[in-house]
Amino acid sequence: KNRWTLDQWTLDLFVLCKKLNIQNPIIVGISFGGWIGINFAARYTDFTKKLILCNTESRIDNLAQQEFYLKKGGQLAK
């Protein structure tokens, strides 16, 4: 089973909150962590108190990212 997914990380965060008895957490997501925060807040709307996002892209454009890194780092960035 692939455990490297947005849904798995979201579930991991929920389970962590439950294990630590954290009720109505304020979720802070930085960069890609914001995607986990958004997914968490969407799945657990009644459980999430607040959501704070910092430097989270509105969408992921893998092709644009690849082109940027190839331009900056050449074939080593591939």
Side-chain angles (χ1 to χ4, degrees), residues 2 4-6 14-15 17 20 22 30 37 40 43-44 47-49 53-56 58-59 66 77-78:
N2 185 0
W4 290 88
T5 66
L6 183 60
F14 180 73
V15 170
C17 288
L20 296 176
I22 298 171
I30 300 171
F40 186 94
R43 284 180 178 238
Y44 307 107
F47 186 73
T48 307
K49 183 173 185 176
L53 304 175
C54 179
N55 295 331
T56 301
S58 60
R59 65 183 178 88
Q66 289 171 3
K78 212 170 190 183

Side-chain angles (χ1 to χ4, degrees), residues 11-62:
L11 178 60
D12 290 346
L13 180 56
F14 180 73
V15 170
L16 177 67
C17 288
K18 287 295 195 179
K19 293 260 184 201
L20 296 176
N21 200 28
I22 298 171
Q23 300 297 316
N24 301 111
I26 298 171
I27 303 297
V28 179
I30 300 171
S31 190
F32 186 79
W35 284 80
I36 298 168
I38 291 167
N39 201 33
F40 186 94
R43 284 180 178 238
Y44 307 107
T45 53
D46 293 337
F47 186 73
T48 307
K49 183 173 185 176
K50 294 182 182 183
L51 175 63
I52 300 170
L53 304 175
C54 179
N55 295 331
T56 301
E57 297 173 328
S58 60
R59 65 183 178 88
I60 296 175
D61 187 342
N62 289 327

